[in-house]
Amino acid sequence: MQQETVVLIVGAGPAGLATSACLNLQNVPNIVLEKEDCCASLWKKRSYDRLKLHLAKQFCELPHMPFPQNAPTFVSKTGFIQYLDNYASHFNVNPIYHRTVESASFDERERKWLVIVRNTLINAVEKYEGMFLIVATGENCEGYIPNVPGLDSFHGEVMHSSRYENGKRFDDKNVLVVGCGNSGMEIAYDLSNWGAQTSIVVCSPVHVLTKRIVQLGMVLLKIVPCYLVDNIILNLSKFIYGNLSDYGLRRPSKGPFYLKRITGRSPVIDVGTVDKIKAQEIKVFPSINKINRDCIQFANGDTKSFNAIVFATGYRSTVRKWLKDDGGLFNEEGMPKKRVPSHWKGENGLYCAGFSRSGLFGISNDAKSIAQDICVAFGKKKL
């Protein structure tokens, strides 16, 4: 089987949906290929129950469709999934599911992209051709678990945060969460609420803010330089939380919005975890030295036994496994070599959406930029 179109989009997460929608509005034919059996599988299958959007809804809208007026400021997981399904329906985005991309290469003679796909429903190989290729698999494609000495000897349960739903079955169990980003801190909070004896590994300095402080910062960034916004936000954080270093939470030397812009690392938006840490309901440990069966030794010399470990240690891009002829668009980690805002465009009609490390706001900007660029290029090719 072989299909030909103008634009091929790999991935039916928010980035793929948004880019396809923008192209559909311009009547540019496109095909979206998705390996799972649904769109937005990260949200539908690999996110915990209590998850909400960490930013206010106006910063999380996809192009050309705001959230309903009656939607809460911070939209729930189920609310966002409904929004995405409505978005795909409204803009007539119809991904082809169960399609795992095995390779994508550029044919210099034909000046087209050839994408080899495995239809996992019938275990058959299919071919797709297009003038343009958009990589929309994003930066959160595959869960990452670090190589911890002795992890293979651990007798309890080990999981990545993408498999965590809630803490119901961990009641009265000793559970260690590894990672102090938003997922790690919120999962630790959830586990504690369900009655687990919860600990968390905090290796790096981290900014802790409230949702409202972040919302204020996002608004101020439109009119105030980043360094001034960071000063305001840090003073508010210190006023609310005080000095958290006594509890194992050190602040970075650079401001939260500066770090987000340069490194892509987001500040932690506190859901109540800090209060539990202060009340010693959640214990903070430094990095892990080694694991010996159910006993874990930490960098400060402390040891403790655990029944389960949840690794909230982030995701990795998988684009390097299947994309050939990328023309230097991606680095070895599968992330764009160029910095925002020049990161989304490669050579020979290759683009990437959802790799800006700017969340849904960045996805929206990518989708609009890519669609506009393709419209211009496609118009020239038709002449």
Side-chain angles (χ1 to χ4, degrees):
M1 173 185 164
Q2 184 160 327
Q3 287 194 51
E4 189 169 347
T5 188
V6 176
V7 184
L8 291 170
I9 302 172
V10 181
L17 298 180
T19 311
S20 178
C22 290
L23 291 169
N24 286 346
L25 285 175
Q26 300 295 328
N27 297 313
V28 178
N30 63 90
I31 292 175
V32 182
L33 301 169
E34 169 57 48
K35 67 179 181 179
E36 300 287 350
D37 61 356
C38 62
C39 66
S41 63
L42 182 64
W43 285 87
K44 293 178 179 179
K45 294 183 173 184
R46 292 179 284 159
S47 59
Y48 47 93
D49 293 346
R50 61 165 287 118
L51 178 64
K52 291 184 179 180
L53 293 180
H54 291 129
L55 298 180
K57 61 184 178 181
Q58 65 264 36
F59 301 108
C60 299
E61 296 169 347
L62 298 185
H64 312 296
M65 185 171 163
F67 283 95
Q69 285 191 340
N70 62 352
T73 302
F74 298 96
V75 179
S76 68
K77 169 184 170 178
T78 54
F80 186 58
I81 289 171
Q82 184 64 57
Y83 170 81
L84 291 175
D85 286 339
N86 291 343
Y87 187 89
S89 176
H90 181 77
F91 292 107
N92 198 30
V93 179
N94 298 298
I96 303 176
Y97 296 116
H98 304 283
R99 299 310 194 269
T100 299
V101 174
E102 296 188 340
S103 70
S105 57
F106 186 71
D107 188 322
E108 289 282 358
R109 189 180 67 179
E110 297 291 331
R111 306 301 297 172
K112 290 182 179 178
W113 285 92
L114 175 62
V115 179
I116 306 299
V117 171
R118 182 163 298 278
N119 180 339
T120 55
L121 279 177
I122 58 174
N123 195 30
V125 173
E126 300 171 352
K127 296 180 180 179
Y128 294 82
E129 286 187 355
M131 285 188 280
F132 305 94
L133 175 65
I134 302 171
V135 180
T137 49
E139 57 206 66
N140 297 329
C141 194
E142 186 175 81
Y144 169 73
I145 294 180
N147 184 19
V148 179
L151 179 60
D152 56 352
S153 74
F154 186 68
H155 285 176
E157 183 175 1
V158 176
M159 70 167 70
H160 187 265
S161 58
S162 59
R163 288 178 47 223
Y164 180 87
E165 295 178 356
N166 59 60
K168 184 176 182 179
R169 62 190 178 88
F170 295 103
D171 179 27
D172 209 31
K173 299 283 181 65
N174 281 306
V175 184
L176 178 67
V177 179
V178 181
C180 61
N182 278 299
S183 294
M185 294 287 263
E186 189 160 2
I187 288 171
Y189 176 80
D190 188 61
L191 282 163
S192 180
N193 282 346
W194 281 102
Q197 305 301 309
T198 309
S199 302
I200 187 169
V201 168
V202 178
C203 298
S204 307
V206 59
H207 286 295
V208 181
L209 309 174
T210 68
K211 284 184 176 181
R212 297 297 180 186
I213 289 178
V214 172
Q215 186 180 8
L216 172 63
M218 294 287 286
V219 172
L220 288 176
L221 281 173
K222 295 179 179 180
I223 54 175
V224 179
C226 182
Y227 76 94
L228 287 178
V229 175
D230 275 341
N231 284 339
I232 294 168
I233 296 310
L234 281 174
N235 283 323
L236 287 172
S237 177
K238 290 174 183 177
F239 176 76
I240 291 173
Y241 293 109
N243 183 4
L244 295 177
S245 60
D246 292 341
Y247 303 96
L249 302 174
R250 295 174 291 120
R251 285 190 178 93
S253 58
K254 302 292 185 182
F257 288 104
Y258 173 83
L259 287 176
K260 177 64 177 174
R261 185 173 293 176
I262 299 301
T263 68
R265 182 175 172 84
S266 298
V268 167
I269 300 173
D270 182 38
V271 295
T273 314
V274 172
D275 282 345
K276 283 183 171 286
I277 289 172
K278 288 181 174 180
Q280 298 185 339
E281 294 174 32
I282 296 174
K283 187 166 184 179
V284 175
F285 285 102
S287 59
I288 297 172
N289 266 359
K290 62 181 179 180
I291 299 173
N292 184 14
R293 299 185 179 182
D294 65 345
C295 187
I296 298 180
Q297 183 185 85
F298 299 94
N300 62 356
D302 287 350
T303 59
K304 187 175 179 179
S305 295
F306 291 93
N307 305 111
I309 307 173
V310 181
F311 282 93
T313 41
Y315 292 82
R316 293 292 184 270
S317 164
T318 59
V319 65
R320 302 289 300 187
K321 294 181 179 180
W322 54 267
L323 178 63
K324 321 298 179 186
D325 312 319
D326 77 328
L329 179 61
F330 292 98
N331 61 25
E332 289 302 313
E333 285 74 45
M335 294 297 290
K337 287 183 178 179
K338 295 179 183 177
R339 285 190 173 181
V340 176
S342 305
H343 63 286
W344 52 269
K345 185 176 181 180
E347 299 176 353
N348 299 320
L350 177 65
Y351 302 88
C352 63
F355 288 84
S356 68
R357 290 176 169 165
S358 304
L360 293 160
F361 183 76
I363 284 173
S364 184
N365 288 336
D366 287 351
K368 289 183 285 189
S369 297
I370 292 168
Q372 180 61 36
D373 198 71
I374 287 176
C375 285
V376 173
F378 182 47
K380 288 179 180 177
K381 289 189 178 186
K382 288 199 297 184
L383 293 175

